[in-house]
Amino acid sequence: DFGARGDELWWFLHIPKTSGTSLGMQLLRLRQPSQNVFIQPSKMKVHNGDAWDEPLQAFLEANAARPLRLATSHLAWNKLEPVRAARPDMKFFTFLRDPVDRVISEYRYRVTPKHPPHAEFRKAYPSIHEYVEHHTSQNSMFKRLVPHLQMTNPEAAEWIDNTLTFVGILERYKKSLAVLGRLMK
């Protein structure tokens, strides 16, 4: 039932192309009040940098007015400090996907008109080969889930295990969703 009880904030660390948009939309409806924290399409760039400042501020203001129970975003862990300070009761979850399938799906999406800076993206990465070779596309799931990139894989695994309440697997979506629903009760 995805949280009929409990007022803690669940934050979905949505890694692009892990089926998170459909999951996020479903959860946003079921666990109210909630908010999708996102960059306005007109402000999207190939590399977003500080474009997250405004959406994060809007989230903090909405949460101060009425404590939220669910949030979803493409934010990396290292950008969430202000939110964690405002909501120490927060629980984090994410979904992972086979890395090769994920990067192929991400590239295919980013070169389409559905992705606002698609023309700029296609110019920067005319083929998937250039994209895969560029440092921004490498280890994307790792980069979003750890506080700093100098962590070793064992350190990162331990940190994720101790910090995230749930990690689902896209290839086991139904089972992962059932477990997540039970945790949110």
Side-chain angles (χ1 to χ4, degrees):
D1 92 64
F2 293 101
R5 300 181 307 269
D7 290 329
E8 69 273 358
L9 172 63
W10 284 75
W11 191 286
F12 178 28
L13 297 164
H14 177 190
I15 299 167
K17 308 318 287 176
T18 58
S19 198
T21 300
S22 55
L23 171 65
M25 291 298 124
Q26 178 183 4
L27 292 177
L28 287 167
R29 285 190 308 273
L30 295 174
R31 192 168 170 88
Q32 293 289 320
S34 61
Q35 185 172 344
N36 182 17
V37 181
F38 65 98
I39 297 173
Q40 292 294 331
S42 63
K43 296 182 180 182
M44 281 188 180
K45 298 180 176 125
V46 173
H47 305 290
N48 287 310
D50 293 332
W52 284 106
D53 293 345
E54 191 175 312
L56 269 176
Q57 187 58 41
F59 168 83
L60 292 169
E61 290 169 8
N63 183 69
R66 181 178 180 201
L68 298 170
R69 297 178 66 228
L70 180 92
T72 179
S73 78
H74 285 298
L75 272 168
W77 176 264
N78 61 7
K79 295 275 190 185
L80 287 169
E81 187 57 41
V83 177
R84 292 184 3 244
R87 289 296 299 268
D89 65 328
M90 191 165 25
K91 295 182 178 191
F92 296 95
F93 69 100
T94 195
F95 271 71
L96 302 178
R97 181 180 186 181
D98 176 273
V100 173
D101 292 342
R102 196 205 66 76
V103 81
I104 291 168
S105 179
E106 182 176 30
Y107 181 82
R108 286 180 176 164
Y109 167 74
R110 287 183 174 222
V111 297
T112 69
K114 290 181 182 179
H115 183 58
H118 71 281
E120 182 183 336
F121 182 85
R122 186 178 281 282
K123 192 175 195 179
Y125 310 107
S127 77
I128 194 168
H129 301 289
E130 287 88 2
Y131 183 58
V132 169
E133 291 295 322
H134 197 270
H135 68 90
T136 58
S137 69
Q138 296 171 359
N139 300 315
S140 185
M141 291 187 284
F142 182 89
K143 289 175 187 175
R144 288 180 182 272
L145 296 178
V146 298
H148 60 85
L149 300 179
Q150 294 74 33
M151 294 180 101
T152 64
N153 286 342
E155 289 169 338
E158 182 179 350
W159 190 88
I160 289 168
D161 190 45
N162 291 328
T163 307
L164 273 68
T165 302
F166 179 74
V167 177
I169 305 294
L170 178 63
E171 290 78 9
R172 296 185 183 258
Y173 186 76
K174 284 185 179 181
K175 188 171 207 154
S176 293
L177 201 56
V179 171
L180 180 61
R182 288 187 152 187
L183 289 171
M184 285 186 172
K185 282 188 175 188

